Amino acid sequence: MQGVPHSFDNPADTAEFRCPAHRSGVELYRAHIVRHAFEPHVHESFGLGAIESGVERFRYRGAEHLAPPDSLVLMNPDELHTGCAETDGGWRYRMVYIDQAVVAEIAGESGWWFGDAVHADAAGARHITALLDALWLAREPLAFDSLLLQLLSEFRRHARVPRAAHAEALSRFVPVIDYLRAHLAERITLNQLAAVAGLSPFHFLRQFQARHHATPQQMLMAFRLSAAKRLLAAGDAPAQVAAATGLTDQAHLTRAFARRYGTTPARYQRALQR
């Protein structure tokens, strides 16, 4: 698949995507970002990868992080985050975005969670970069799946199963998250979400922000763009995607999508078709 350098304002910024036809719930991504600053967004899946060169700065779970060369990036699903270059030459990195259900199927266990967004492990990062490169080049399904198992085995060393108290805290707003996902195209009020949580409106708002380090509106927009990405990958027209995800129109979708993912909806679709 060829790159999509014209999807960014600066021609030095490039990104490529690959989704294996035989294995849904897995997306490979590689990029060199120099000038683009990714606005707050989420991925419904785990975001696991390695920094090849340069340094990335990103905000995740209410804190600023720096990811230097030969470090691992370990992001949990549905966590709002940003991304920009800390070094003049930008940063080059590879990622795999993989659904929780796929991780559980391949690993044979559920409940993976990563406590640290960045982990210093030079040897491990270089090995994972090589595995991600091999996955990108793999064209036979058996070879791809074998490499995917190796990759997750490497990341398993950094994963942990939540303790009961932590799991309870994580699940506190699950009905609210489900409600947001189920009503992407609607105008949602604070009172509606508070009622779902069984809290008074502003008590709910304070608790939600404390848990997610984001407002419900920020999460809603992140979910809208995540859903838009999935619909675009399925081949839906951008105008239809905008309407289905509660965005004003196709122009609104294009602006919001580019700010979060560094490419326009049309270019994203073309990249996946190559």
Side-chain angles (χ1 to χ4, degrees), residues 191-235:
N191 286 355
Q192 284 175 294
L193 296 180
V196 172
L199 300 171
S200 64
F202 286 98
H203 180 57
F204 159 75
L205 187 56
R206 290 192 300 271
Q207 293 294 314
F208 188 93
Q209 286 185 272
R211 164 63 188 92
H212 291 284
H213 308 288
T215 67
Q217 176 61 26
Q218 288 172 320
M219 290 297 290
L220 176 61
M221 280 300 297
F223 289 155
R224 282 172 169 167
L225 269 297
S226 182
K229 189 165 176 274
R230 186 173 62 253
L231 293 172
L232 289 165

mmCIF file of all heavy atoms in Angstrom, residues 191-235:
data_model
loop_
_atom_site.group_PDB
_atom_site.id
_atom_site.type_symbol
_atom_site.label_atom_id
_atom_site.label_comp_id
_atom_site.label_asym_id
_atom_site.label_seq_id
_atom_site.Cartn_x
_atom_site.Cartn_y
_atom_site.Cartn_z
ATOM 1 N N ASN A 191 -28.321 15.986 31.433
ATOM 2 C CA ASN A 191 -29.341 15.338 32.261
ATOM 3 C C ASN A 191 -29.590 13.899 31.834
ATOM 4 O O ASN A 191 -29.807 13.020 32.680
ATOM 5 C CB ASN A 191 -30.649 16.130 32.217
ATOM 6 C CG ASN A 191 -30.565 17.415 33.019
ATOM 7 O OD1 ASN A 191 -29.563 17.668 33.676
ATOM 8 N ND2 ASN A 191 -31.608 18.224 32.970
ATOM 9 N N GLN A 192 -29.567 13.641 30.538
ATOM 10 C CA GLN A 192 -29.768 12.278 30.058
ATOM 11 C C GLN A 192 -28.659 11.351 30.558
ATOM 12 O O GLN A 192 -28.925 10.253 31.053
ATOM 13 C CB GLN A 192 -29.779 12.261 28.517
ATOM 14 C CG GLN A 192 -31.057 12.779 27.881
ATOM 15 C CD GLN A 192 -30.922 12.836 26.370
ATOM 16 O OE1 GLN A 192 -30.141 13.614 25.838
ATOM 17 N NE2 GLN A 192 -31.678 11.990 25.680
ATOM 18 N N LEU A 193 -27.420 11.789 30.432
ATOM 19 C CA LEU A 193 -26.299 10.955 30.851
ATOM 20 C C LEU A 193 -26.276 10.768 32.361
ATOM 21 O O LEU A 193 -25.979 9.675 32.858
ATOM 22 C CB LEU A 193 -24.986 11.584 30.380
ATOM 23 C CG LEU A 193 -24.794 11.680 28.869
ATOM 24 C CD1 LEU A 193 -23.460 12.325 28.546
ATOM 25 C CD2 LEU A 193 -24.904 10.317 28.200
ATOM 26 N N ALA A 194 -26.611 11.828 33.101
ATOM 27 C CA ALA A 194 -26.654 11.720 34.554
ATOM 28 C C ALA A 194 -27.712 10.716 34.987
ATOM 29 O O ALA A 194 -27.511 9.947 35.937
ATOM 30 C CB ALA A 194 -26.926 13.086 35.177
ATOM 31 N N ALA A 195 -28.842 10.700 34.276
ATOM 32 C CA ALA A 195 -29.907 9.752 34.602
ATOM 33 C C ALA A 195 -29.440 8.311 34.356
ATOM 34 O O ALA A 195 -29.760 7.400 35.124
ATOM 35 C CB ALA A 195 -31.149 10.061 33.778
ATOM 36 N N VAL A 196 -28.680 8.110 33.288
ATOM 37 C CA VAL A 196 -28.148 6.774 33.002
ATOM 38 C C VAL A 196 -27.223 6.318 34.138
ATOM 39 O O VAL A 196 -27.244 5.151 34.550
ATOM 40 C CB VAL A 196 -27.382 6.772 31.664
ATOM 41 C CG1 VAL A 196 -26.664 5.441 31.456
ATOM 42 C CG2 VAL A 196 -28.340 7.026 30.503
ATOM 43 N N ALA A 197 -26.433 7.251 34.659
ATOM 44 C CA ALA A 197 -25.500 6.924 35.739
ATOM 45 C C ALA A 197 -26.156 6.905 37.111
ATOM 46 O O ALA A 197 -25.558 6.425 38.076
ATOM 47 C CB ALA A 197 -24.347 7.924 35.743
ATOM 48 N N GLY A 198 -27.374 7.447 37.201
ATOM 49 C CA GLY A 198 -28.051 7.500 38.488
ATOM 50 C C GLY A 198 -27.470 8.537 39.429
ATOM 51 O O GLY A 198 -27.482 8.363 40.648
ATOM 52 N N LEU A 199 -26.954 9.645 38.862
ATOM 53 C CA LEU A 199 -26.347 10.709 39.647
ATOM 54 C C LEU A 199 -26.974 12.047 39.273
ATOM 55 O O LEU A 199 -27.602 12.176 38.214
ATOM 56 C CB LEU A 199 -24.839 10.768 39.387
ATOM 57 C CG LEU A 199 -24.013 9.522 39.725
ATOM 58 C CD1 LEU A 199 -22.594 9.678 39.201
ATOM 59 C CD2 LEU A 199 -24.006 9.272 41.230
ATOM 60 N N SER A 200 -26.799 13.034 40.123
ATOM 61 C CA SER A 200 -27.225 14.382 39.756
ATOM 62 C C SER A 200 -26.307 14.891 38.646
ATOM 63 O O SER A 200 -25.150 14.453 38.546
ATOM 64 C CB SER A 200 -27.171 15.314 40.963
ATOM 65 O OG SER A 200 -25.836 15.452 41.410
ATOM 66 N N PRO A 201 -26.785 15.810 37.803
ATOM 67 C CA PRO A 201 -26.021 16.184 36.607
ATOM 68 C C PRO A 201 -24.577 16.607 36.870
ATOM 69 O O PRO A 201 -23.647 16.077 36.240
ATOM 70 C CB PRO A 201 -26.851 17.328 36.016
ATOM 71 C CG PRO A 201 -28.247 16.990 36.415
ATOM 72 C CD PRO A 201 -28.128 16.425 37.799
ATOM 73 N N PHE A 202 -24.352 17.542 37.766
ATOM 74 C CA PHE A 202 -22.991 18.038 37.923
ATOM 75 C C PHE A 202 -22.127 17.121 38.784
ATOM 76 O O PHE A 202 -20.901 17.100 38.644
ATOM 77 C CB PHE A 202 -23.012 19.475 38.442
ATOM 78 C CG PHE A 202 -23.429 20.452 37.379
ATOM 79 C CD1 PHE A 202 -24.734 20.908 37.306
ATOM 80 C CD2 PHE A 202 -22.530 20.867 36.415
ATOM 81 C CE1 PHE A 202 -25.137 21.776 36.308
ATOM 82 C CE2 PHE A 202 -22.913 21.730 35.409
ATOM 83 C CZ PHE A 202 -24.226 22.194 35.348
ATOM 84 N N HIS A 203 -22.737 16.340 39.639
ATOM 85 C CA HIS A 203 -21.967 15.303 40.340
ATOM 86 C C HIS A 203 -21.494 14.272 39.321
ATOM 87 O O HIS A 203 -20.328 13.825 39.363
ATOM 88 C CB HIS A 203 -22.823 14.635 41.416
ATOM 89 C CG HIS A 203 -22.109 13.560 42.170
ATOM 90 N ND1 HIS A 203 -20.935 13.778 42.853
ATOM 91 C CD2 HIS A 203 -22.386 12.229 42.336
ATOM 92 C CE1 HIS A 203 -20.522 12.654 43.408
ATOM 93 N NE2 HIS A 203 -21.384 11.702 43.101
ATOM 94 N N PHE A 204 -22.377 13.897 38.425
ATOM 95 C CA PHE A 204 -21.996 12.991 37.347
ATOM 96 C C PHE A 204 -20.863 13.580 36.527
ATOM 97 O O PHE A 204 -19.877 12.895 36.224
ATOM 98 C CB PHE A 204 -23.191 12.710 36.425
ATOM 99 C CG PHE A 204 -22.795 12.233 35.061
ATOM 100 C CD1 PHE A 204 -22.331 10.943 34.857
ATOM 101 C CD2 PHE A 204 -22.852 13.094 33.968
ATOM 102 C CE1 PHE A 204 -21.934 10.510 33.606
ATOM 103 C CE2 PHE A 204 -22.456 12.665 32.710
ATOM 104 C CZ PHE A 204 -21.999 11.371 32.525
ATOM 105 N N LEU A 205 -20.971 14.872 36.162
ATOM 106 C CA LEU A 205 -19.963 15.503 35.315
ATOM 107 C C LEU A 205 -18.598 15.491 35.995
ATOM 108 O O LEU A 205 -17.579 15.166 35.371
ATOM 109 C CB LEU A 205 -20.383 16.935 34.995
ATOM 110 C CG LEU A 205 -19.520 17.698 33.985
ATOM 111 C CD1 LEU A 205 -19.428 16.947 32.667
ATOM 112 C CD2 LEU A 205 -20.091 19.092 33.765
ATOM 113 N N ARG A 206 -18.569 15.811 37.291
ATOM 114 C CA ARG A 206 -17.301 15.802 38.019
ATOM 115 C C ARG A 206 -16.706 14.394 38.068
ATOM 116 O O ARG A 206 -15.510 14.195 37.847
ATOM 117 C CB ARG A 206 -17.511 16.336 39.437
ATOM 118 C CG ARG A 206 -17.804 17.821 39.524
ATOM 119 C CD ARG A 206 -17.709 18.300 40.960
ATOM 120 N NE ARG A 206 -18.655 17.608 41.844
ATOM 121 C CZ ARG A 206 -19.897 18.014 42.073
ATOM 122 N NH1 ARG A 206 -20.371 19.091 41.455
ATOM 123 N NH2 ARG A 206 -20.687 17.341 42.903
ATOM 124 N N GLN A 207 -17.553 13.408 38.372
ATOM 125 C CA GLN A 207 -17.072 12.034 38.486
ATOM 126 C C GLN A 207 -16.604 11.490 37.134
ATOM 127 O O GLN A 207 -15.603 10.766 37.055
ATOM 128 C CB GLN A 207 -18.177 11.140 39.064
ATOM 129 C CG GLN A 207 -18.537 11.443 40.505
ATOM 130 C CD GLN A 207 -17.380 11.132 41.442
ATOM 131 O OE1 GLN A 207 -16.763 10.086 41.351
ATOM 132 N NE2 GLN A 207 -17.083 12.064 42.326
ATOM 133 N N PHE A 208 -17.315 11.813 36.087
ATOM 134 C CA PHE A 208 -16.950 11.345 34.750
ATOM 135 C C PHE A 208 -15.592 11.912 34.349
ATOM 136 O O PHE A 208 -14.724 11.189 33.843
ATOM 137 C CB PHE A 208 -18.017 11.764 33.737
ATOM 138 C CG PHE A 208 -17.823 11.169 32.366
ATOM 139 C CD1 PHE A 208 -18.450 9.979 32.020
ATOM 140 C CD2 PHE A 208 -17.014 11.794 31.424
ATOM 141 C CE1 PHE A 208 -18.271 9.419 30.755
ATOM 142 C CE2 PHE A 208 -16.828 11.245 30.165
ATOM 143 C CZ PHE A 208 -17.457 10.053 29.828
ATOM 144 N N GLN A 209 -15.402 13.215 34.566
ATOM 145 C CA GLN A 209 -14.125 13.831 34.216
ATOM 146 C C GLN A 209 -12.981 13.258 35.048
ATOM 147 O O GLN A 209 -11.875 13.060 34.542
ATOM 148 C CB GLN A 209 -14.205 15.344 34.407
ATOM 149 C CG GLN A 209 -15.024 16.037 33.329
ATOM 150 C CD GLN A 209 -14.991 17.544 33.480
ATOM 151 O OE1 GLN A 209 -15.796 18.119 34.192
ATOM 152 N NE2 GLN A 209 -14.067 18.176 32.799
ATOM 153 N N ALA A 210 -13.253 12.982 36.320
ATOM 154 C CA ALA A 210 -12.208 12.416 37.170
ATOM 155 C C ALA A 210 -11.796 11.032 36.685
ATOM 156 O O ALA A 210 -10.617 10.659 36.746
ATOM 157 C CB ALA A 210 -12.700 12.347 38.613
ATOM 158 N N ARG A 211 -12.759 10.258 36.196
ATOM 159 C CA ARG A 211 -12.466 8.899 35.733
ATOM 160 C C ARG A 211 -11.817 8.895 34.348
ATOM 161 O O ARG A 211 -10.842 8.183 34.095
ATOM 162 C CB ARG A 211 -13.748 8.058 35.720
ATOM 163 C CG ARG A 211 -13.671 6.765 34.907
ATOM 164 C CD ARG A 211 -12.641 5.790 35.465
ATOM 165 N NE ARG A 211 -12.463 4.663 34.578
ATOM 166 C CZ ARG A 211 -11.544 4.592 33.617
ATOM 167 N NH1 ARG A 211 -10.711 5.604 33.415
ATOM 168 N NH2 ARG A 211 -11.436 3.514 32.865
ATOM 169 N N HIS A 212 -12.356 9.699 33.419
ATOM 170 C CA HIS A 212 -11.931 9.608 32.024
ATOM 171 C C HIS A 212 -10.985 10.723 31.590
ATOM 172 O O HIS A 212 -10.502 10.688 30.450
ATOM 173 C CB HIS A 212 -13.156 9.592 31.104
ATOM 174 C CG HIS A 212 -13.959 8.337 31.201
ATOM 175 N ND1 HIS A 212 -13.551 7.153 30.630
ATOM 176 C CD2 HIS A 212 -15.139 8.070 31.823
ATOM 177 C CE1 HIS A 212 -14.452 6.206 30.879
ATOM 178 N NE2 HIS A 212 -15.409 6.730 31.600
ATOM 179 N N HIS A 213 -10.761 11.709 32.460
ATOM 180 C CA HIS A 213 -9.885 12.837 32.120
ATOM 181 C C HIS A 213 -10.371 13.536 30.847
ATOM 182 O O HIS A 213 -9.563 14.011 30.031
ATOM 183 C CB HIS A 213 -8.441 12.367 31.942
ATOM 184 C CG HIS A 213 -7.936 11.557 33.092
ATOM 185 N ND1 HIS A 213 -7.631 12.109 34.327
ATOM 186 C CD2 HIS A 213 -7.709 10.229 33.219
ATOM 187 C CE1 HIS A 213 -7.234 11.161 35.143
ATOM 188 N NE2 HIS A 213 -7.271 10.013 34.505
ATOM 189 N N ALA A 214 -11.667 13.583 30.691
ATOM 190 C CA ALA A 214 -12.288 14.218 29.534
ATOM 191 C C ALA A 214 -13.749 14.482 29.870
ATOM 192 O O ALA A 214 -14.325 13.825 30.739
ATOM 193 C CB ALA A 214 -12.197 13.310 28.307
ATOM 194 N N THR A 215 -14.337 15.434 29.155
ATOM 195 C CA THR A 215 -15.761 15.694 29.343
ATOM 196 C C THR A 215 -16.575 14.683 28.542
ATOM 197 O O THR A 215 -16.067 14.081 27.581
ATOM 198 C CB THR A 215 -16.129 17.107 28.870
ATOM 199 O OG1 THR A 215 -15.956 17.172 27.438
ATOM 200 C CG2 THR A 215 -15.257 18.158 29.543
ATOM 201 N N PRO A 216 -17.845 14.491 28.888
ATOM 202 C CA PRO A 216 -18.686 13.607 28.064
ATOM 203 C C PRO A 216 -18.747 14.046 26.607
ATOM 204 O O PRO A 216 -18.784 13.201 25.704
ATOM 205 C CB PRO A 216 -20.051 13.716 28.748
ATOM 206 C CG PRO A 216 -19.746 14.048 30.168
ATOM 207 C CD PRO A 216 -18.547 14.947 30.100
ATOM 208 N N GLN A 217 -18.741 15.354 26.357
ATOM 209 C CA GLN A 217 -18.781 15.828 24.972
ATOM 210 C C GLN A 217 -17.510 15.445 24.226
ATOM 211 O O GLN A 217 -17.562 15.039 23.056
ATOM 212 C CB GLN A 217 -18.960 17.351 24.943
ATOM 213 C CG GLN A 217 -18.923 17.970 23.545
ATOM 214 C CD GLN A 217 -20.024 17.462 22.631
ATOM 215 O OE1 GLN A 217 -21.081 17.043 23.101
ATOM 216 N NE2 GLN A 217 -19.796 17.489 21.330
ATOM 217 N N GLN A 218 -16.367 15.548 24.873
ATOM 218 C CA GLN A 218 -15.125 15.135 24.233
ATOM 219 C C GLN A 218 -15.138 13.640 23.922
ATOM 220 O O GLN A 218 -14.693 13.209 22.845
ATOM 221 C CB GLN A 218 -13.934 15.475 25.127
ATOM 222 C CG GLN A 218 -13.622 16.962 25.196
ATOM 223 C CD GLN A 218 -12.564 17.276 26.240
ATOM 224 O OE1 GLN A 218 -12.558 16.715 27.327
ATOM 225 N NE2 GLN A 218 -11.655 18.177 25.903
ATOM 226 N N MET A 219 -15.654 12.847 24.848
ATOM 227 C CA MET A 219 -15.750 11.418 24.600
ATOM 228 C C MET A 219 -16.722 11.123 23.463
ATOM 229 O O MET A 219 -16.462 10.262 22.613
ATOM 230 C CB MET A 219 -16.190 10.692 25.873
ATOM 231 C CG MET A 219 -15.144 10.679 26.966
ATOM 232 S SD MET A 219 -13.624 9.789 26.505
ATOM 233 C CE MET A 219 -14.219 8.097 26.466
ATOM 234 N N LEU A 220 -17.837 11.842 23.446
ATOM 235 C CA LEU A 220 -18.826 11.641 22.381
ATOM 236 C C LEU A 220 -18.206 11.918 21.019
ATOM 237 O O LEU A 220 -18.374 11.135 20.069
ATOM 238 C CB LEU A 220 -20.037 12.541 22.616
ATOM 239 C CG LEU A 220 -21.117 12.523 21.525
ATOM 240 C CD1 LEU A 220 -21.705 11.123 21.369
ATOM 241 C CD2 LEU A 220 -22.204 13.542 21.832
ATOM 242 N N MET A 221 -17.466 13.027 20.903
ATOM 243 C CA MET A 221 -16.833 13.345 19.626
ATOM 244 C C MET A 221 -15.783 12.294 19.259
ATOM 245 O O MET A 221 -15.647 11.904 18.095
ATOM 246 C CB MET A 221 -16.198 14.730 19.687
ATOM 247 C CG MET A 221 -17.182 15.865 19.495
ATOM 248 S SD MET A 221 -18.030 15.773 17.878
ATOM 249 C CE MET A 221 -16.653 15.964 16.748
ATOM 250 N N ALA A 222 -15.043 11.832 20.254
ATOM 251 C CA ALA A 222 -14.046 10.799 19.979
ATOM 252 C C ALA A 222 -14.718 9.519 19.488
ATOM 253 O O ALA A 222 -14.239 8.869 18.547
ATOM 254 C CB ALA A 222 -13.225 10.527 21.231
ATOM 255 N N PHE A 223 -15.840 9.145 20.106
ATOM 256 C CA PHE A 223 -16.575 7.955 19.677
ATOM 257 C C PHE A 223 -17.159 8.147 18.284
ATOM 258 O O PHE A 223 -17.195 7.217 17.471
ATOM 259 C CB PHE A 223 -17.685 7.628 20.670
ATOM 260 C CG PHE A 223 -17.193 7.097 21.993
ATOM 261 C CD1 PHE A 223 -17.954 7.242 23.137
ATOM 262 C CD2 PHE A 223 -15.977 6.452 22.095
ATOM 263 C CE1 PHE A 223 -17.512 6.754 24.358
ATOM 264 C CE2 PHE A 223 -15.518 5.959 23.301
ATOM 265 C CZ PHE A 223 -16.290 6.117 24.443
ATOM 266 N N ARG A 224 -17.655 9.363 18.007
ATOM 267 C CA ARG A 224 -18.191 9.635 16.676
ATOM 268 C C ARG A 224 -17.129 9.435 15.609
ATOM 269 O O ARG A 224 -17.381 8.820 14.566
ATOM 270 C CB ARG A 224 -18.737 11.067 16.619
ATOM 271 C CG ARG A 224 -20.101 11.233 17.266
ATOM 272 C CD ARG A 224 -20.514 12.687 17.361
ATOM 273 N NE ARG A 224 -21.918 12.815 17.752
ATOM 274 C CZ ARG A 224 -22.484 13.943 18.146
ATOM 275 N NH1 ARG A 224 -21.751 15.054 18.224
ATOM 276 N NH2 ARG A 224 -23.766 13.968 18.476
ATOM 277 N N LEU A 225 -15.922 9.935 15.865
ATOM 278 C CA LEU A 225 -14.858 9.812 14.869
ATOM 279 C C LEU A 225 -14.344 8.377 14.775
ATOM 280 O O LEU A 225 -13.985 7.911 13.694
ATOM 281 C CB LEU A 225 -13.734 10.775 15.202
ATOM 282 C CG LEU A 225 -13.829 12.168 14.553
ATOM 283 C CD1 LEU A 225 -13.756 12.058 13.039
ATOM 284 C CD2 LEU A 225 -15.106 12.888 14.950
ATOM 285 N N SER A 226 -14.333 7.672 15.886
ATOM 286 C CA SER A 226 -13.938 6.268 15.854
ATOM 287 C C SER A 226 -14.941 5.454 15.041
ATOM 288 O O SER A 226 -14.565 4.593 14.229
ATOM 289 C CB SER A 226 -13.846 5.727 17.274
ATOM 290 O OG SER A 226 -13.426 4.383 17.276
ATOM 291 N N ALA A 227 -16.229 5.727 15.243
ATOM 292 C CA ALA A 227 -17.262 5.042 14.467
ATOM 293 C C ALA A 227 -17.171 5.430 12.995
ATOM 294 O O ALA A 227 -17.354 4.585 12.100
ATOM 295 C CB ALA A 227 -18.642 5.378 15.017
ATOM 296 N N ALA A 228 -16.884 6.698 12.735
ATOM 297 C CA ALA A 228 -16.739 7.149 11.349
ATOM 298 C C ALA A 228 -15.600 6.404 10.665
ATOM 299 O O ALA A 228 -15.723 5.984 9.506
ATOM 300 C CB ALA A 228 -16.482 8.652 11.320
ATOM 301 N N LYS A 229 -14.517 6.209 11.371
ATOM 302 C CA LYS A 229 -13.368 5.474 10.816
ATOM 303 C C LYS A 229 -13.770 4.049 10.447
ATOM 304 O O LYS A 229 -13.410 3.530 9.390
ATOM 305 C CB LYS A 229 -12.246 5.478 11.848
ATOM 306 C CG LYS A 229 -10.914 4.962 11.379
ATOM 307 C CD LYS A 229 -9.845 5.374 12.383
ATOM 308 C CE LYS A 229 -8.480 4.828 12.045
ATOM 309 N NZ LYS A 229 -8.286 3.481 12.568
ATOM 310 N N ARG A 230 -14.548 3.420 11.321
ATOM 311 C CA ARG A 230 -14.989 2.050 11.062
ATOM 312 C C ARG A 230 -15.934 1.990 9.858
ATOM 313 O O ARG A 230 -15.824 1.096 9.008
ATOM 314 C CB ARG A 230 -15.680 1.506 12.304
ATOM 315 C CG ARG A 230 -16.064 0.041 12.208
ATOM 316 C CD ARG A 230 -16.598 -0.480 13.525
ATOM 317 N NE ARG A 230 -17.820 0.204 13.939
ATOM 318 C CZ ARG A 230 -17.909 1.080 14.922
ATOM 319 N NH1 ARG A 230 -16.845 1.405 15.629
ATOM 320 N NH2 ARG A 230 -19.068 1.643 15.223
ATOM 321 N N LEU A 231 -16.855 2.941 9.747
ATOM 322 C CA LEU A 231 -17.800 2.965 8.632
ATOM 323 C C LEU A 231 -17.088 3.261 7.309
ATOM 324 O O LEU A 231 -17.426 2.687 6.274
ATOM 325 C CB LEU A 231 -18.896 3.998 8.892
ATOM 326 C CG LEU A 231 -19.855 3.683 10.045
ATOM 327 C CD1 LEU A 231 -20.760 4.875 10.329
ATOM 328 C CD2 LEU A 231 -20.689 2.439 9.730
ATOM 329 N N LEU A 232 -16.127 4.159 7.356
ATOM 330 C CA LEU A 232 -15.351 4.458 6.150
ATOM 331 C C LEU A 232 -14.586 3.225 5.689
ATOM 332 O O LEU A 232 -14.507 2.944 4.491
ATOM 333 C CB LEU A 232 -14.398 5.614 6.414
ATOM 334 C CG LEU A 232 -15.039 6.995 6.583
ATOM 335 C CD1 LEU A 232 -14.036 7.969 7.199
ATOM 336 C CD2 LEU A 232 -15.559 7.529 5.249
ATOM 337 N N ALA A 233 -14.018 2.489 6.643
ATOM 338 C CA ALA A 233 -13.284 1.273 6.297
ATOM 339 C C ALA A 233 -14.207 0.234 5.661
ATOM 340 O O ALA A 233 -13.765 -0.577 4.850
ATOM 341 C CB ALA A 233 -12.617 0.696 7.539
ATOM 342 N N ALA A 234 -15.483 0.281 6.037
ATOM 343 C CA ALA A 234 -16.460 -0.652 5.465
ATOM 344 C C ALA A 234 -16.942 -0.208 4.089
ATOM 345 O O ALA A 234 -17.693 -0.936 3.436
ATOM 346 C CB ALA A 234 -17.648 -0.797 6.405
ATOM 347 N N GLY A 235 -16.539 0.998 3.662
ATOM 348 C CA GLY A 235 -16.882 1.467 2.325
ATOM 349 C C GLY A 235 -18.018 2.454 2.242
ATOM 350 O O GLY A 235 -18.416 2.845 1.141
#
